[in-house]
Amino acid sequence: MAPELFKAFSELTYRHTGIVLADGNEHLVAGRIRGRVRALGLAGAPEYLALLRAGGPELDEFVNAITTNVTAFFREPEHFKLLHRAARKKAAEGRSLRIWCAAASSGEEPYSIAITLREALGDSADRCSVFATDINSEVIEHARTGRYEQRVVANLGDDLMARHFERDGDLVAVVPATRRLVTFSTLNLIEPAWRLPGGFDIVFCRNVMIYFDRPTQAGIVSRLTGQLRPGGLLLVGHSESLAGLCPGLTTLRPSIYQRPLAHRRAS
Ligand SMILES: C[S@@+](CC[C@H](N)C(=O)[O-])C[C@H]1O[C@@H](n2cnc3c(N)ncnc32)[C@H](O)[C@@H]1O
């Protein structure tokens, strides 16, 4: 792909998703849009760019094609141990958890959260909720089905498989009791105002910050902080330290941040 064409696709991507496509990703972009160019019967990438610039629904398809959706059940497992402990503690206080999974991809992460809540709380997990969002409408559609190939769940172990999955033809499906804890929606993290119920105890925003530059990260973290209840936790991926980006949060560990219980007044 010619440098000017790559630059144009990069700018479009940045404007609509916040994702920074560094130089050297020409092949990646060419590969990601190839299917759309073919499906639309276009001559090539320049024609596709012209179509995107004209606006309209193809922009969503472009975003779906350009985002990287790699995920896994119980990825970075320490966060799920923390979640298990937090759920038990809240339950002992007679309270439930409201959780937002803000880059949910095809559902493996929010269903891992739901499984953890069920394991920790049994039937009482019904009082908890997991709101799962992603910019990519295609992965959210997949996530809603709760259906996965066998290889995706291969490492989960017999006990979790027996309690949280059922056979569905060649696939496996998350059982309704676990699935109903999660609701899915599309949401773009770089939008300035999110229409959200707010007041979350834990926000999982993992392995997405890495695609954004510092100003975009800072804006998102500031708005995520506003979505947390006092004492609430923000979890990011293990390689995504927010050092210097979250003045309103206390760093518990490089991937775990907490909104203080009460703000001290400046004297
Ligand atoms: C690498 S996946 C990480 C999935 C999951 N959080 C995990 O840790 O396994 C990154 C996800 O972020 C989503 N994403 C990228 N830009 C986004 C944006 N501006 N708003 C919301 N989601 C975005 C992508 O669509 C993708 O599903």
Side-chain angles (χ1 to χ4, degrees):
M1 174 176 283
E4 321 78 63
L5 197 54
F6 173 71
K7 191 161 173 272
F9 278 113
S10 303
E11 280 169 6
L12 205 62
T13 302
Y14 184 71
R15 185 151 18 103
H16 291 283
T17 70
I19 294 170
V20 176
L21 291 169
D23 287 347
N25 279 303
E26 289 80 355
H27 283 302
L28 179 133
V29 172
R32 296 270 174 96
I33 65 173
R34 191 168 295 133
R36 293 308 305 156
V37 170
R38 263 198 218 125
L40 294 162
L42 297 173
E47 289 73 16
Y48 188 52
L49 180 65
L51 179 71
L52 291 172
R53 282 180 165 161
E58 184 55 28
L59 203 50
D60 286 344
E61 300 294 343
F62 173 67
V63 168
N64 290 350
I66 211 74
T67 54
T68 300
N69 312 112
V70 176
T71 187
F73 279 98
F74 294 99
R75 181 179 192 183
E76 300 179 353
E78 303 84 74
H79 287 158
F80 296 96
K81 290 181 192 146
L82 177 147
L83 171 64
H84 194 281
R85 289 194 299 275
R88 295 292 281 260
K89 186 162 174 280
K90 283 273 179 191
E93 295 164 359
R95 294 160 66 198
S96 57
L97 282 176
R98 296 188 71 230
I99 296 170
W100 178 19
C101 181
S105 188
S106 39
E108 287 88 333
E109 185 178 43
Y111 287 130
S112 300
I113 296 170
I115 290 170
T116 304
L117 293 173
R118 271 268 174 259
E119 290 290 310
L121 306 175
D123 289 346
S124 311
D126 282 327
R127 297 178 55 220
C128 299
S129 60
V130 185
F131 187 53
T133 63
D134 199 283
I135 194 174
N136 183 320
S137 59
E138 205 172 289
V139 290
I140 285 294
E141 272 316 302
H142 177 197
R144 274 202 187 101
T145 70
R147 296 162 85 229
Y148 297 94
E149 289 178 21
Q150 301 270 0
R151 64 174 174 81
V152 174
V153 294
N155 295 325
L156 284 189
D158 292 345
D159 288 349
L160 289 188
M161 285 307 294
R163 288 197 284 273
H164 300 285
F165 293 86
E166 57 196 12
R167 288 293 296 269
D168 186 349
D170 289 344
L171 303 176
V172 292
V174 182
V175 295
T178 302
R179 216 167 80 192
R180 70 171 175 249
L181 303 185
V182 191
T183 49
F184 290 97
S185 181
T186 51
L187 182 142
N188 186 349
L189 284 167
I190 67 162
E191 273 169 12
W194 302 320
R195 259 172 279 135
L196 280 178
F200 294 102
D201 298 288
I202 307 182
V203 174
F204 284 70
C205 189
R206 306 189 315 158
N207 302 302
V208 63
M209 290 295 186
I210 204 160
Y211 297 103
F212 304 139
D213 60 15
R214 296 276 290 180
T216 304
Q217 290 176 341
I220 292 172
V221 171
S222 158
R223 279 174 287 129
L224 289 176
T225 303
Q227 296 292 328
L228 285 173
R229 286 177 171 161
L233 299 174
L234 169 62
L235 309 183
V236 298
H238 284 44
S239 54
E240 297 180 302
S241 170
L242 300 181
L245 283 178
C246 46
L249 300 174
T250 306
T251 306
L252 302 186
R253 269 190 260 150
S255 69
I256 305 174
Y257 301 83
Q258 184 169 40
R259 181 169 166 191
L261 275 170
H263 284 289
R264 285 218 189 122
R265 278 169 192 268
S267 53

